[in-house]
Amino acid sequence: MATILVISSKSVDIRSWQSVFRLPPPDRPQSPPYHARRPHKKSRTGRCEKLGVSCSYGAFPQSQDLQEMKKPDGAAFSLSLKDIELKVNQALATDSGCLEIGALKDSNLAQPMTVVAFQHFMNYSTDTIGHPSIRHVMKSDMIQVAFGSPHLMYTILGVGSLHLSRIRPQNQTWRLAETYFWQQAIQTYQAALSSKISPQTVDGLLSTCMFMGITSLCPDRFEPTDSWVLSNAPGAMNWLCLQSGLRIIIKLAAPHMQSSIWASAFQQTHQEEVQLYDEGVTQGRDGLDPDLADLCGIDDSTTALTNPYYEPLRILAAIFVLEHNMKNASQCATFMGRLENNFLTLLRERDPPALLILAQWMGLMCTLSEWQPWVEGRIRGECKAICMYLEHSTGPRVLRLLRFPASACGYHLAYV
């Protein structure tokens, strides 16, 4: 499910824009030292040709609003608390359900919960975004858009309240607020999608879509036995499929992206993506983990078109050698949004090679939880579930490949 957008004749990879917020981690086992895979030889080949999109690189227009914004926190931070409350209420006034917000009260708070959630999003949640250009838009232009977009404002309140709910797990009021804000966000977003996308609505729809997957990544009290790998619960793997959800909205929004508030930030992330992925090996085994390549049947002539495991392995080879820091941790997180439909099908079927590939990425994310604590919400538990499922395999290669993810997520393998 490769999601490529052409903006001003420029191919841009959407999947790198799927940012998720860091959440404070609970107590967890210490991750083992990280050891990078061996470097791989670079070779430029036709990724754009493979995907059937244009590779010409023309001028990329800057958003007028972004050019006018002098400070990263923008006009929103110049507002008084009373101004914020007024603007939030005005943004939600077109939604009939907003009257129920008055029932959401916390006697310990001096301000309405909507204001507290909004402030938390602005002051804390956005600061955890790894890429500075994405973070800048979220703290400036996107907030101005939210003041005129109910579904985006509800989404912002949902993110802020989710963050607060996880920080204060005993506070049932924030749990109720989180549920309500997300319910309203989804309903109003679905209603907005039913209308034709225009230059006036594109930024609100794009911004909302970028946050929609966060609830599935940070579920409340997730256990390994809740994983689709160990249960037959319908929809248990939906969290992973949702991470590729920008594809449809981006296709619909493509004619209006040139003037979007996200244009400049998306260009910058695309240029970094080109350097990281498009210059990597796109055929054969060079640079890939030998055991995984053998398990997945990859030889010197294999490409992404002939083998569903190839592209995920190629991405792993690129991100495993990155230096550990906040920005690169965010880049590593985009792996889940890059998975194609055929690979997701293999995961749903509990295909061992596919599960092992996903487990390698999950293990990597566990070693990066210093910068991505949201890993503790689901990813560490999902990694343990894969280890539990595969550790009974009699194949020595499978057990050998489980060692890294098991050690990284804190699971003790019984047969190793």
Side-chain angles (χ1 to χ4, degrees):
M1 192 184 298
T3 310
I4 301 295
L5 171 65
V6 179
I7 305 177
S8 295
S9 300
K10 183 165 188 153
S11 305
V12 179
D13 197 328
I14 305 296
R15 297 163 295 189
S16 63
W17 310 334
Q18 293 176 311
S19 301
V20 288
F21 290 102
R22 298 166 60 201
L23 297 176
D27 294 336
R28 64 182 188 277
Q30 183 67 35
S31 298
Y34 171 76
H35 301 287
R37 305 277 177 95
R38 63 187 181 92
H40 60 277
K41 184 172 65 178
K42 302 283 187 177
S43 64
R44 181 178 291 277
T45 57
R47 177 176 171 87
C48 291
E49 180 181 352
K50 179 193 77 173
L51 293 167
V53 298
S54 170
C55 284
S56 59
Y57 293 80
F60 205 98
Q62 297 282 338
S63 164
Q64 182 178 354
D65 291 338
L66 188 58
Q67 292 179 29
E68 294 174 352
M69 197 63 67
K70 302 300 182 183
K71 297 180 180 180
D73 42 356
F77 281 106
S78 68
L79 300 173
S80 68
L81 290 176
K82 211 61 181 169
D83 290 333
I84 291 176
E85 182 178 2
L86 177 62
K87 283 186 172 290
V88 170
N89 289 339
Q90 286 177 340
L92 304 180
T94 57
D95 174 52
S96 59
C98 72
L99 297 177
E100 301 176 29
I101 291 179
L104 294 173
K105 296 180 180 179
D106 189 329
S107 58
N108 296 319
L109 298 175
Q111 299 296 329
M113 296 186 76
T114 51
V115 174
V116 176
F118 180 86
Q119 282 190 300
H120 191 87
F121 175 89
M122 291 297 302
N123 296 334
Y124 300 101
S125 298
T126 52
D127 282 343
T128 67
I129 296 298
H131 200 286
S133 62
I134 298 293
R135 184 169 62 248
H136 174 92
V137 179
M138 287 182 177
K139 292 172 75 71
S140 56
D141 290 35
M142 191 189 78
I143 296 303
Q144 300 300 325
V145 172
F147 288 147
S149 172
H151 58 82
L152 179 55
M153 181 57 73
Y154 273 126
T155 300
I156 288 173
L157 298 178
V159 173
S161 59
L162 181 149
H163 206 164
L164 286 164
S165 176
R166 299 303 183 272
I167 293 172
R168 306 163 184 174
Q170 304 307 317
N171 191 317
Q172 295 301 313
T173 306
W174 278 115
R175 291 181 183 276
L176 176 62
E178 175 194 345
T179 300
Y180 175 77
F181 290 141
W182 280 115
Q183 179 188 54
Q184 295 300 310
I186 293 171
Q187 289 180 355
T188 52
Y189 181 56
Q190 288 176 334
L193 283 175
S194 65
S195 302
K196 185 177 181 180
I197 297 178
S198 68
Q200 292 72 39
T201 62
V202 63
D203 289 325
L205 291 172
L206 275 173
S207 302
T208 299
C209 189
M210 292 171 68
F211 294 117
M212 275 297 170
I214 187 174
T215 54
S216 64
L217 288 173
C218 304
D220 193 21
R221 298 184 179 93
F222 179 82
E223 297 292 338
T225 49
D226 297 326
S227 171
W228 92 95
V229 181
L230 299 177
S231 72
N232 293 316
M237 206 185 88
N238 285 352
W239 70 271
L240 186 56
C241 300
L242 283 173
Q243 306 312 313
S244 300
L246 279 174
R247 177 180 180 178
I248 296 177
I249 182 64
I250 286 297
K251 284 185 176 181
L252 295 173
H256 312 296
M257 287 299 301
Q258 203 169 23
S259 59
S260 171
I261 61 173
W262 293 104
S264 179
F266 286 0
Q267 179 198 26
Q268 184 174 342
T269 57
H270 167 68
Q271 291 171 342
E272 296 168 1
E273 295 281 317
V274 168
Q275 183 176 1
L276 178 61
Y277 297 115
D278 287 10
E279 293 183 355
V281 59
T282 57
Q283 178 174 321
R285 298 166 53 94
D286 191 23
L288 305 183
D289 180 277
D291 276 342
L292 280 171
D294 288 341
L295 185 68
C296 296
I298 294 175
D299 57 31
D300 291 338
S301 63
T302 302
T303 69
L305 296 177
T306 62
N307 189 304
Y309 307 112
Y310 189 80
E311 187 69 3
L313 282 178
R314 189 181 76 90
I315 297 171
L316 280 181
I319 62 178
F320 257 85
V321 297
L322 293 176
E323 179 183 354
H324 281 200
N325 56 45
M326 182 176 178
K327 186 175 180 181
N328 286 340
S330 294
Q331 179 60 245
C332 293
T334 68
F335 175 88
M336 57 186 167
R338 299 174 180 277
L339 300 178
E340 306 279 354
N341 268 342
N342 53 3
F343 189 80
L344 291 172
T345 298
L346 291 171
L347 288 173
R348 196 177 296 278
E349 295 171 351
R350 302 180 179 90
D351 174 69
L355 290 175
L356 279 168
I357 291 172
L358 187 64
Q360 301 302 311
W361 170 74
M362 289 178 170
L364 173 62
M365 292 310 301
C366 288
T367 70
L368 297 171
S369 60
E370 174 185 353
W371 297 280
Q372 303 288 313
W374 57 269
V375 165
E376 309 302 337
R378 176 185 288 275
I379 300 302
R380 189 179 294 274
E382 293 279 5
C383 190
K384 290 180 179 180
I386 293 177
C387 293
M388 293 165 67
Y389 182 78
L390 292 177
E391 71 175 334
H392 300 287
S393 171
T394 56
R397 182 184 289 118
V398 171
L399 295 176
R400 189 161 60 246
L401 287 168
L402 276 179
R403 289 174 183 168
F404 167 69
S407 177
C409 73
Y411 182 76
H412 176 70
L413 291 171
Y415 299 97
V416 176

